[in-house]
Amino acid sequence: KNEVEQSPQNLTAQEGEFITINCSYSVGISALHWLQQHPGGGIVSLFMLSSGKKKHGRLIATINIQEKHSSLHITASHPRDSAVYICAVNANTGNQFYFGTGTSLTVIP
Amino acid sequence: DTGVSQDPRHKITKRGQNVTFRCDPISEHNRLYWYRQTLGQGPEFLTYFQNEAQLEKSRLLSDRFSAERPKGSFSTLEIQRTEQGDSAMYLCASSRLQGNGYTFGSGTRLTVV
């Protein structure tokens, strides 16, 4: 069993739709990260959360520490949002990430 | 300093050859991480350095793999006697402190033919 589970694995949306990607984890964490990976492979860090909610433009990330669950929301989705979104956690024992397998998002014009 | 740089971006090599990748982290970051990502999977941890000390190594890092960070700045990852199963994206990340924000490089895509 993976320490980090994401759903869905694949998601296709029409431009303008509201999108939610979910992440559940099974280990104690010091922080949770949402990452965006484009087809070329480069990864960009979107959010780092340890509690509550963060917003950046059309992106919103929330975390519920008690339920060990986080969500990434994209409002008014756009084709340029098409990418793989990866959830990763810093376990609070040790110094590494555990990664989800990613959610591949395609936004159709 | 515009971020974490990895070189080369792509590498195609014949099975059995040795390859070396380089990662230049953000200059003030004292932690540097190597990950490997195969198709359809999230990145897998390989190893990490704090300054020049290699503090943790994954079991994935077989004897054919070695990583160094001799002066606590750039790091190299060498794979000896490459195998087709080594084909993957090799990602480098750096951070200042644990849980204090990570920056990833664009990765080196290795193809072993």
Side-chain angles (χ1 to χ4, degrees):
Chain A
K1 186 183 184 304
N2 292 334
E3 290 82 358
V4 180
E5 299 279 355
Q6 279 186 243
S7 63
Q9 280 193 313
N10 296 285
L11 181 56
T12 301
Q14 292 289 331
E15 183 173 357
E17 284 187 7
F18 180 84
I19 288 162
T20 297
I21 300 170
N22 294 302
C23 174
S24 297
Y25 54 92
S26 58
V27 295
I29 69 168
S30 58
L32 181 143
H33 303 256
W34 281 102
L35 311 171
Q36 182 189 55
Q37 186 171 35
H38 282 277
I43 290 180
V44 173
S45 178
L46 298 175
F47 294 103
M48 183 181 72
L49 296 163
S50 52
S51 65
K53 175 180 174 179
K54 287 190 176 180
K55 184 176 189 293
H56 185 256
R58 296 180 293 105
L59 302 178
I60 303 166
T62 63
I63 188 168
N64 184 317
I65 297 293
Q66 287 73 33
E67 295 186 2
K68 294 189 173 179
H69 181 268
S70 175
S71 293
L72 176 68
H73 305 286
I74 305 175
T75 62
S77 59
H78 189 276
R80 65 175 174 265
D81 298 326
S82 298
V84 174
Y85 293 83
I86 301 172
C87 174
V89 300
N90 285 118
N92 56 15
T93 56
N95 288 291
Q96 58 169 290
F97 280 124
Y98 293 106
F99 290 84
T101 54
T103 295
S104 179
L105 171 66
T106 302
V107 181
I108 299 170
Chain B
D1 192 358
T2 56
V4 177
S5 299
Q6 289 189 246
D7 182 70
R9 291 293 304 274
H10 304 275
K11 177 71 176 178
I12 300 173
T13 191
K14 290 185 178 179
R15 188 162 49 109
Q17 297 293 305
N18 300 343
V19 293
T20 300
F21 311 140
R22 177 177 169 128
C23 172
D24 287 88
I26 291 176
S27 56
E28 61 265 30
H29 285 184
N30 59 4
R31 290 190 174 177
L32 185 149
Y33 305 78
W34 284 100
Y35 294 88
R36 180 176 70 185
Q37 186 179 26
T38 52
L39 198 63
Q41 300 295 317
E44 300 168 294
F45 172 76
L46 293 178
T47 187
Y48 102 95
F49 292 84
Q50 181 161 307
N51 300 314
E52 65 274 11
Q54 189 173 18
L55 295 189
E56 195 168 339
K57 288 170 59 172
S58 162
R59 286 172 298 180
L60 294 173
L61 214 65
S62 74
D63 291 345
R64 297 184 298 105
F65 287 71
S66 62
E68 293 184 343
R69 195 183 183 198
K71 297 181 181 178
S73 56
F74 73 91
S75 175
T76 57
L77 177 68
E78 181 183 15
I79 309 174
Q80 296 182 325
R81 305 180 302 282
T82 51
E83 302 172 357
Q84 285 189 312
D86 297 332
S87 296
M89 174 74 83
Y90 290 84
L91 292 161
C92 176
S94 70
S95 72
R96 187 179 287 116
L97 290 170
Q98 179 185 2
N100 205 31
Y102 291 77
T103 302
F104 280 84
S106 296
T108 294
R109 185 172 296 282
L110 173 67
T111 303
V112 181
V113 297

